[in-house]
PDB file of all heavy atoms in Angstrom:
ATOM      1  N   HIS E 103     -15.096 -21.546   0.550  1.00 76.00           N
ATOM      2  CA  HIS E 103     -15.942 -21.975  -0.563  1.00 76.00           C
ATOM      3  C   HIS E 103     -16.803 -23.145  -0.157  1.00 76.00           C
ATOM      4  O   HIS E 103     -17.494 -23.717  -0.979  1.00 76.00           O
ATOM      5  CB  HIS E 103     -15.080 -22.332  -1.770  1.00 76.00           C
ATOM      6  CG  HIS E 103     -14.005 -23.322  -1.467  1.00 76.00           C
ATOM      7  ND1 HIS E 103     -14.237 -24.659  -1.421  1.00 76.00           N
ATOM      8  CD2 HIS E 103     -12.703 -23.138  -1.155  1.00 76.00           C
ATOM      9  CE1 HIS E 103     -13.117 -25.269  -1.108  1.00 76.00           C
ATOM     10  NE2 HIS E 103     -12.180 -24.386  -0.930  1.00 76.00           N
ATOM     11  N   ARG E 104     -16.731 -23.517   1.115  1.00 76.00           N
ATOM     12  CA  ARG E 104     -17.612 -24.585   1.573  1.00 76.00           C
ATOM     13  C   ARG E 104     -18.610 -24.007   2.572  1.00 76.00           C
ATOM     14  O   ARG E 104     -18.632 -22.817   2.812  1.00 76.00           O
ATOM     15  CB  ARG E 104     -16.767 -25.697   2.206  1.00 76.00           C
ATOM     16  CG  ARG E 104     -15.933 -26.394   1.152  1.00 76.00           C
ATOM     17  CD  ARG E 104     -15.089 -27.473   1.736  1.00 76.00           C
ATOM     18  NE  ARG E 104     -14.092 -26.921   2.645  1.00 76.00           N
ATOM     19  CZ  ARG E 104     -13.192 -27.648   3.297  1.00 76.00           C
ATOM     20  NH1 ARG E 104     -13.202 -28.940   3.165  1.00 76.00           N
ATOM     21  NH2 ARG E 104     -12.314 -27.086   4.077  1.00 76.00           N
ATOM     22  N   SER E 105     -19.418 -24.872   3.168  1.00 77.00           N
ATOM     23  CA  SER E 105     -20.425 -24.368   4.100  1.00 77.00           C
ATOM     24  C   SER E 105     -19.723 -23.795   5.340  1.00 77.00           C
ATOM     25  O   SER E 105     -18.614 -24.199   5.666  1.00 77.00           O
ATOM     26  CB  SER E 105     -21.363 -25.495   4.513  1.00 77.00           C
ATOM     27  OG  SER E 105     -20.644 -26.444   5.269  1.00 77.00           O
ATOM     28  N   PRO E 106     -20.374 -22.829   6.013  1.00 81.00           N
ATOM     29  CA  PRO E 106     -19.756 -22.238   7.201  1.00 81.00           C
ATOM     30  C   PRO E 106     -19.413 -23.278   8.263  1.00 81.00           C
ATOM     31  O   PRO E 106     -18.446 -23.108   9.014  1.00 81.00           O
ATOM     32  CB  PRO E 106     -20.821 -21.261   7.704  1.00 81.00           C
ATOM     33  CG  PRO E 106     -21.691 -21.003   6.534  1.00 81.00           C
ATOM     34  CD  PRO E 106     -21.658 -22.219   5.680  1.00 81.00           C
ATOM     35  N   GLU E 107     -20.184 -24.370   8.335  1.00 82.00           N
ATOM     36  CA  GLU E 107     -19.897 -25.401   9.341  1.00 82.00           C
ATOM     37  C   GLU E 107     -18.566 -26.095   9.041  1.00 82.00           C
ATOM     38  O   GLU E 107     -17.803 -26.429   9.940  1.00 82.00           O
ATOM     39  CB  GLU E 107     -21.003 -26.462   9.383  1.00 82.00           C
ATOM     40  CG  GLU E 107     -22.361 -25.949   9.851  1.00 82.00           C
ATOM     41  CD  GLU E 107     -23.082 -25.159   8.774  1.00 82.00           C
ATOM     42  OE1 GLU E 107     -22.929 -25.497   7.592  1.00 82.00           O
ATOM     43  OE2 GLU E 107     -23.770 -24.176   9.121  1.00 82.00           O
ATOM     44  N   GLU E 108     -18.294 -26.312   7.741  1.00 80.00           N
ATOM     45  CA  GLU E 108     -17.076 -27.022   7.370  1.00 80.00           C
ATOM     46  C   GLU E 108     -15.838 -26.147   7.474  1.00 80.00           C
ATOM     47  O   GLU E 108     -14.732 -26.644   7.620  1.00 80.00           O
ATOM     48  CB  GLU E 108     -17.195 -27.538   5.928  1.00 80.00           C
ATOM     49  CG  GLU E 108     -18.078 -28.745   5.779  1.00 80.00           C
ATOM     50  CD  GLU E 108     -18.087 -29.212   4.334  1.00 80.00           C
ATOM     51  OE1 GLU E 108     -18.686 -28.517   3.496  1.00 80.00           O
ATOM     52  OE2 GLU E 108     -17.474 -30.237   4.062  1.00 80.00           O
ATOM     53  N   ASP E 109     -16.027 -24.839   7.330  1.00 78.00           N
ATOM     54  CA  ASP E 109     -14.879 -23.932   7.302  1.00 78.00           C
ATOM     55  C   ASP E 109     -15.251 -22.658   8.049  1.00 78.00           C
ATOM     56  O   ASP E 109     -15.452 -21.600   7.450  1.00 78.00           O
ATOM     57  CB  ASP E 109     -14.515 -23.633   5.836  1.00 78.00           C
ATOM     58  CG  ASP E 109     -13.151 -22.979   5.720  1.00 78.00           C
ATOM     59  OD1 ASP E 109     -12.530 -22.712   6.764  1.00 78.00           O
ATOM     60  OD2 ASP E 109     -12.710 -22.733   4.588  1.00 78.00           O
ATOM     61  N   PRO E 110     -15.384 -22.758   9.387  1.00 81.00           N
ATOM     62  CA  PRO E 110     -15.949 -21.628  10.138  1.00 81.00           C
ATOM     63  C   PRO E 110     -15.030 -20.414  10.229  1.00 81.00           C
ATOM     64  O   PRO E 110     -15.477 -19.327  10.570  1.00 81.00           O
ATOM     65  CB  PRO E 110     -16.191 -22.224  11.529  1.00 81.00           C
ATOM     66  CG  PRO E 110     -15.248 -23.370  11.629  1.00 81.00           C
ATOM     67  CD  PRO E 110     -15.038 -23.899  10.240  1.00 81.00           C
ATOM     68  N   ASN E 111     -13.741 -20.579   9.929  1.00 80.00           N
ATOM     69  CA  ASN E 111     -12.805 -19.480  10.166  1.00 80.00           C
ATOM     70  C   ASN E 111     -12.630 -18.537   8.994  1.00 80.00           C
ATOM     71  O   ASN E 111     -11.947 -17.542   9.105  1.00 80.00           O
ATOM     72  CB  ASN E 111     -11.429 -20.037  10.565  1.00 80.00           C
ATOM     73  CG  ASN E 111     -11.525 -20.822  11.858  1.00 80.00           C
ATOM     74  OD1 ASN E 111     -12.289 -20.453  12.745  1.00 80.00           O
ATOM     75  ND2 ASN E 111     -10.793 -21.911  11.933  1.00 80.00           N
ATOM     76  N   ARG E 112     -13.231 -18.862   7.859  1.00 83.00           N
ATOM     77  CA  ARG E 112     -13.057 -17.992   6.690  1.00 83.00           C
ATOM     78  C   ARG E 112     -14.404 -17.445   6.222  1.00 83.00           C
ATOM     79  O   ARG E 112     -15.422 -18.094   6.365  1.00 83.00           O
ATOM     80  CB  ARG E 112     -12.398 -18.767   5.551  1.00 83.00           C
ATOM     81  CG  ARG E 112     -10.886 -18.745   5.619  1.00 83.00           C
ATOM     82  CD  ARG E 112     -10.273 -19.426   4.431  1.00 83.00           C
ATOM     83  NE  ARG E 112     -10.143 -20.847   4.644  1.00 83.00           N
ATOM     84  CZ  ARG E 112      -9.105 -21.434   5.217  1.00 83.00           C
ATOM     85  NH1 ARG E 112      -8.086 -20.711   5.635  1.00 83.00           N
ATOM     86  NH2 ARG E 112      -9.066 -22.725   5.380  1.00 83.00           N
ATOM     87  N   GLU E 113     -14.339 -16.240   5.615  1.00 88.00           N
ATOM     88  CA  GLU E 113     -15.560 -15.656   5.038  1.00 88.00           C
ATOM     89  C   GLU E 113     -15.661 -16.058   3.570  1.00 88.00           C
ATOM     90  O   GLU E 113     -14.678 -16.439   2.958  1.00 88.00           O
ATOM     91  CB  GLU E 113     -15.504 -14.127   5.078  1.00 88.00           C
ATOM     92  CG  GLU E 113     -15.130 -13.518   6.397  1.00 88.00           C
ATOM     93  CD  GLU E 113     -14.413 -12.204   6.172  1.00 88.00           C
ATOM     94  OE1 GLU E 113     -13.203 -12.218   5.905  1.00 88.00           O
ATOM     95  OE2 GLU E 113     -15.066 -11.165   6.258  1.00 88.00           O
ATOM     96  N   GLU E 114     -16.846 -15.908   3.020  1.00 89.00           N
ATOM     97  CA  GLU E 114     -16.993 -16.231   1.590  1.00 89.00           C
ATOM     98  C   GLU E 114     -16.452 -15.072   0.736  1.00 89.00           C
ATOM     99  O   GLU E 114     -16.173 -13.987   1.236  1.00 89.00           O
ATOM    100  CB  GLU E 114     -18.437 -16.619   1.276  1.00 89.00           C
ATOM    101  CG  GLU E 114     -19.367 -15.580   0.777  1.00 89.00           C
ATOM    102  CD  GLU E 114     -19.618 -14.412   1.699  1.00 89.00           C
ATOM    103  OE1 GLU E 114     -19.301 -14.477   2.910  1.00 89.00           O
ATOM    104  OE2 GLU E 114     -20.125 -13.417   1.194  1.00 89.00           O
ATOM    105  N   GLU E 115     -16.306 -15.338  -0.537  1.00 91.00           N
ATOM    106  CA  GLU E 115     -15.573 -14.443  -1.452  1.00 91.00           C
ATOM    107  C   GLU E 115     -16.030 -12.984  -1.383  1.00 91.00           C
ATOM    108  O   GLU E 115     -15.199 -12.075  -1.273  1.00 91.00           O
ATOM    109  CB  GLU E 115     -15.722 -14.991  -2.879  1.00 91.00           C
ATOM    110  CG  GLU E 115     -15.048 -14.140  -3.930  1.00 91.00           C
ATOM    111  CD  GLU E 115     -15.314 -14.674  -5.335  1.00 91.00           C
ATOM    112  OE1 GLU E 115     -15.746 -15.841  -5.471  1.00 91.00           O
ATOM    113  OE2 GLU E 115     -15.085 -13.919  -6.281  1.00 91.00           O
ATOM    114  N   ALA E 116     -17.350 -12.750  -1.465  1.00 93.00           N
ATOM    115  CA  ALA E 116     -17.833 -11.372  -1.534  1.00 93.00           C
ATOM    116  C   ALA E 116     -17.469 -10.600  -0.265  1.00 93.00           C
ATOM    117  O   ALA E 116     -17.067  -9.434  -0.325  1.00 93.00           O
ATOM    118  CB  ALA E 116     -19.342 -11.359  -1.749  1.00 93.00           C
ATOM    119  N   SER E 117     -17.587 -11.265   0.901  1.00 94.00           N
ATOM    120  CA  SER E 117     -17.276 -10.581   2.165  1.00 94.00           C
ATOM    121  C   SER E 117     -15.785 -10.332   2.292  1.00 94.00           C
ATOM    122  O   SER E 117     -15.363  -9.295   2.812  1.00 94.00           O
ATOM    123  CB  SER E 117     -17.747 -11.418   3.351  1.00 94.00           C
ATOM    124  OG  SER E 117     -19.115 -11.667   3.247  1.00 94.00           O
ATOM    125  N   VAL E 118     -14.972 -11.289   1.835  1.00 96.00           N
ATOM    126  CA  VAL E 118     -13.522 -11.087   1.876  1.00 96.00           C
ATOM    127  C   VAL E 118     -13.159  -9.868   1.026  1.00 96.00           C
ATOM    128  O   VAL E 118     -12.430  -8.983   1.473  1.00 96.00           O
ATOM    129  CB  VAL E 118     -12.766 -12.342   1.367  1.00 96.00           C
ATOM    130  CG1 VAL E 118     -11.279 -12.047   1.221  1.00 96.00           C
ATOM    131  CG2 VAL E 118     -12.986 -13.509   2.311  1.00 96.00           C
ATOM    132  N   ALA E 119     -13.700  -9.816  -0.196  1.00 96.00           N
ATOM    133  CA  ALA E 119     -13.381  -8.695  -1.096  1.00 96.00           C
ATOM    134  C   ALA E 119     -13.816  -7.372  -0.482  1.00 96.00           C
ATOM    135  O   ALA E 119     -13.115  -6.362  -0.601  1.00 96.00           O
ATOM    136  CB  ALA E 119     -14.054  -8.910  -2.446  1.00 96.00           C
ATOM    137  N   LEU E 120     -14.958  -7.371   0.215  1.00 97.00           N
ATOM    138  CA  LEU E 120     -15.443  -6.145   0.854  1.00 97.00           C
ATOM    139  C   LEU E 120     -14.507  -5.730   1.991  1.00 97.00           C
ATOM    140  O   LEU E 120     -14.149  -4.554   2.118  1.00 97.00           O
ATOM    141  CB  LEU E 120     -16.863  -6.360   1.368  1.00 97.00           C
ATOM    142  CG  LEU E 120     -17.520  -5.172   2.058  1.00 97.00           C
ATOM    143  CD1 LEU E 120     -17.603  -3.978   1.122  1.00 97.00           C
ATOM    144  CD2 LEU E 120     -18.924  -5.540   2.546  1.00 97.00           C
ATOM    145  N   ARG E 121     -14.094  -6.704   2.793  1.00 97.00           N
ATOM    146  CA  ARG E 121     -13.180  -6.381   3.900  1.00 97.00           C
ATOM    147  C   ARG E 121     -11.857  -5.838   3.367  1.00 97.00           C
ATOM    148  O   ARG E 121     -11.331  -4.836   3.877  1.00 97.00           O
ATOM    149  CB  ARG E 121     -12.938  -7.639   4.752  1.00 97.00           C
ATOM    150  CG  ARG E 121     -11.894  -7.435   5.836  1.00 97.00           C
ATOM    151  CD  ARG E 121     -11.890  -8.566   6.853  1.00 97.00           C
ATOM    152  NE  ARG E 121     -11.791  -9.883   6.277  1.00 97.00           N
ATOM    153  CZ  ARG E 121     -10.646 -10.439   5.837  1.00 97.00           C
ATOM    154  NH1 ARG E 121      -9.519  -9.761   5.908  1.00 97.00           N
ATOM    155  NH2 ARG E 121     -10.641 -11.652   5.327  1.00 97.00           N
ATOM    156  N   LEU E 122     -11.316  -6.465   2.322  1.00 96.00           N
ATOM    157  CA  LEU E 122     -10.064  -5.980   1.738  1.00 96.00           C
ATOM    158  C   LEU E 122     -10.229  -4.537   1.236  1.00 96.00           C
ATOM    159  O   LEU E 122      -9.334  -3.710   1.386  1.00 96.00           O
ATOM    160  CB  LEU E 122      -9.623  -6.880   0.578  1.00 96.00           C
ATOM    161  CG  LEU E 122      -9.313  -8.355   0.899  1.00 96.00           C
ATOM    162  CD1 LEU E 122      -8.836  -9.087  -0.355  1.00 96.00           C
ATOM    163  CD2 LEU E 122      -8.288  -8.493   2.002  1.00 96.00           C
ATOM    164  N   SER E 123     -11.397  -4.245   0.653  1.00 97.00           N
ATOM    165  CA  SER E 123     -11.650  -2.892   0.130  1.00 97.00           C
ATOM    166  C   SER E 123     -11.677  -1.861   1.251  1.00 97.00           C
ATOM    167  O   SER E 123     -11.120  -0.769   1.118  1.00 97.00           O
ATOM    168  CB  SER E 123     -12.987  -2.854  -0.620  1.00 97.00           C
ATOM    169  OG  SER E 123     -12.996  -3.798  -1.650  1.00 97.00           O
ATOM    170  N   HIS E 124     -12.335  -2.232   2.365  1.00 96.00           N
ATOM    171  CA  HIS E 124     -12.361  -1.306   3.504  1.00 96.00           C
ATOM    172  C   HIS E 124     -10.941  -1.053   4.019  1.00 96.00           C
ATOM    173  O   HIS E 124     -10.591   0.076   4.367  1.00 96.00           O
ATOM    174  CB  HIS E 124     -13.221  -1.878   4.631  1.00 96.00           C
ATOM    175  CG  HIS E 124     -14.702  -1.639   4.438  1.00 96.00           C
ATOM    176  ND1 HIS E 124     -15.231  -0.384   4.263  1.00 96.00           N
ATOM    177  CD2 HIS E 124     -15.750  -2.486   4.396  1.00 96.00           C
ATOM    178  CE1 HIS E 124     -16.545  -0.460   4.123  1.00 96.00           C
ATOM    179  NE2 HIS E 124     -16.888  -1.737   4.185  1.00 96.00           N
ATOM    180  N   GLU E 125     -10.149  -2.095   4.051  1.00 96.00           N
ATOM    181  CA  GLU E 125      -8.762  -1.931   4.533  1.00 96.00           C
ATOM    182  C   GLU E 125      -7.989  -0.981   3.621  1.00 96.00           C
ATOM    183  O   GLU E 125      -7.191  -0.161   4.084  1.00 96.00           O
ATOM    184  CB  GLU E 125      -8.061  -3.304   4.599  1.00 96.00           C
ATOM    185  CG  GLU E 125      -8.578  -4.186   5.725  1.00 96.00           C
ATOM    186  CD  GLU E 125      -8.039  -5.625   5.674  1.00 96.00           C
ATOM    187  OE1 GLU E 125      -7.206  -5.937   4.805  1.00 96.00           O
ATOM    188  OE2 GLU E 125      -8.478  -6.428   6.505  1.00 96.00           O
ATOM    189  N   ILE E 126      -8.229  -1.083   2.316  1.00 94.00           N
ATOM    190  CA  ILE E 126      -7.545  -0.193   1.371  1.00 94.00           C
ATOM    191  C   ILE E 126      -8.018   1.253   1.577  1.00 94.00           C
ATOM    192  O   ILE E 126      -7.215   2.181   1.643  1.00 94.00           O
ATOM    193  CB  ILE E 126      -7.796  -0.669  -0.081  1.00 94.00           C
ATOM    194  CG1 ILE E 126      -7.057  -1.991  -0.316  1.00 94.00           C
ATOM    195  CG2 ILE E 126      -7.350   0.390  -1.089  1.00 94.00           C
ATOM    196  CD1 ILE E 126      -7.384  -2.667  -1.630  1.00 94.00           C
ATOM    197  N   LEU E 127      -9.348   1.428   1.715  1.00 93.00           N
ATOM    198  CA  LEU E 127      -9.887   2.789   1.913  1.00 93.00           C
ATOM    199  C   LEU E 127      -9.372   3.424   3.199  1.00 93.00           C
ATOM    200  O   LEU E 127      -9.160   4.634   3.260  1.00 93.00           O
ATOM    201  CB  LEU E 127     -11.417   2.740   1.956  1.00 93.00           C
ATOM    202  CG  LEU E 127     -12.154   2.999   0.641  1.00 93.00           C
ATOM    203  CD1 LEU E 127     -13.652   2.888   0.863  1.00 93.00           C
ATOM    204  CD2 LEU E 127     -11.818   4.356   0.057  1.00 93.00           C
ATOM    205  N   ASP E 128      -9.153   2.590   4.234  1.00 93.00           N
ATOM    206  CA  ASP E 128      -8.625   3.121   5.499  1.00 93.00           C
ATOM    207  C   ASP E 128      -7.259   3.772   5.281  1.00 93.00           C
ATOM    208  O   ASP E 128      -6.923   4.760   5.931  1.00 93.00           O
ATOM    209  CB  ASP E 128      -8.470   1.992   6.531  1.00 93.00           C
ATOM    210  CG  ASP E 128      -9.817   1.483   7.006  1.00 93.00           C
ATOM    211  OD1 ASP E 128     -10.831   2.180   6.794  1.00 93.00           O
ATOM    212  OD2 ASP E 128      -9.853   0.369   7.589  1.00 93.00           O
ATOM    213  N   ARG E 129      -6.479   3.190   4.372  1.00 91.00           N
ATOM    214  CA  ARG E 129      -5.115   3.685   4.170  1.00 91.00           C
ATOM    215  C   ARG E 129      -5.001   4.648   2.999  1.00 91.00           C
ATOM    216  O   ARG E 129      -4.055   5.437   2.931  1.00 91.00           O
ATOM    217  CB  ARG E 129      -4.167   2.509   3.941  1.00 91.00           C
ATOM    218  CG  ARG E 129      -3.977   1.646   5.177  1.00 91.00           C
ATOM    219  CD  ARG E 129      -3.275   0.344   4.822  1.00 91.00           C
ATOM    220  NE  ARG E 129      -3.049  -0.484   5.988  1.00 91.00           N
ATOM    221  CZ  ARG E 129      -3.982  -1.237   6.560  1.00 91.00           C
ATOM    222  NH1 ARG E 129      -5.206  -1.252   6.089  1.00 91.00           N
ATOM    223  NH2 ARG E 129      -3.688  -1.981   7.611  1.00 91.00           N
ATOM    224  N   ALA E 130      -5.912   4.555   2.044  1.00 88.00           N
ATOM    225  CA  ALA E 130      -5.851   5.411   0.855  1.00 88.00           C
ATOM    226  C   ALA E 130      -7.238   5.983   0.588  1.00 88.00           C
ATOM    227  O   ALA E 130      -7.964   5.508  -0.276  1.00 88.00           O
ATOM    228  CB  ALA E 130      -5.365   4.616  -0.352  1.00 88.00           C
ATOM    229  N   PRO E 131      -7.616   7.009   1.359  1.00 81.00           N
ATOM    230  CA  PRO E 131      -8.983   7.529   1.220  1.00 81.00           C
ATOM    231  C   PRO E 131      -9.262   8.147  -0.144  1.00 81.00           C
ATOM    232  O   PRO E 131     -10.407   8.470  -0.451  1.00 81.00           O
ATOM    233  CB  PRO E 131      -9.090   8.566   2.346  1.00 81.00           C
ATOM    234  CG  PRO E 131      -7.716   8.785   2.847  1.00 81.00           C
ATOM    235  CD  PRO E 131      -6.849   7.657   2.417  1.00 81.00           C
ATOM    236  N   GLY E 132      -8.214   8.311  -0.966  1.00 80.00           N
ATOM    237  CA  GLY E 132      -8.437   8.917  -2.282  1.00 80.00           C
ATOM    238  C   GLY E 132      -8.931   7.963  -3.345  1.00 80.00           C
ATOM    239  O   GLY E 132      -9.130   8.384  -4.483  1.00 80.00           O
ATOM    240  N   VAL E 133      -9.132   6.695  -3.023  1.00 91.00           N
ATOM    241  CA  VAL E 133      -9.595   5.746  -4.039  1.00 91.00           C
ATOM    242  C   VAL E 133     -10.915   6.243  -4.629  1.00 91.00           C
ATOM    243  O   VAL E 133     -11.839   6.578  -3.892  1.00 91.00           O
ATOM    244  CB  VAL E 133      -9.818   4.345  -3.424  1.00 91.00           C
ATOM    245  CG1 VAL E 133     -10.401   3.391  -4.460  1.00 91.00           C
ATOM    246  CG2 VAL E 133      -8.519   3.794  -2.877  1.00 91.00           C
ATOM    247  N   LEU E 134     -10.988   6.313  -5.948  1.00 93.00           N
ATOM    248  CA  LEU E 134     -12.221   6.789  -6.572  1.00 93.00           C
ATOM    249  C   LEU E 134     -13.209   5.660  -6.807  1.00 93.00           C
ATOM    250  O   LEU E 134     -14.414   5.863  -6.747  1.00 93.00           O
ATOM    251  CB  LEU E 134     -11.915   7.468  -7.912  1.00 93.00           C
ATOM    252  CG  LEU E 134     -11.361   8.882  -7.850  1.00 93.00           C
ATOM    253  CD1 LEU E 134     -11.150   9.410  -9.262  1.00 93.00           C
ATOM    254  CD2 LEU E 134     -12.286   9.813  -7.083  1.00 93.00           C
ATOM    255  N   ALA E 135     -12.690   4.460  -7.118  1.00 95.00           N
ATOM    256  CA  ALA E 135     -13.638   3.420  -7.524  1.00 95.00           C
ATOM    257  C   ALA E 135     -13.094   2.026  -7.250  1.00 95.00           C
ATOM    258  O   ALA E 135     -11.885   1.797  -7.244  1.00 95.00           O
ATOM    259  CB  ALA E 135     -13.949   3.556  -9.013  1.00 95.00           C
TER     260      ALA E 135
END
Side-chain angles (χ1 to χ4, degrees):
H103 53 82
R104 292 179 295 181
S105 67
E107 295 77 34
E108 284 182 288
D109 194 357
N111 298 324
R112 273 184 273 272
E113 311 150 278
E114 95 299 345
E115 178 184 344
S117 303
V118 172
L120 180 59
R121 174 167 52 79
L122 298 182
S123 303
H124 278 304
E125 289 171 4
I126 291 171
L127 266 179
D128 290 344
R129 292 168 178 79
V133 176
L134 282 181

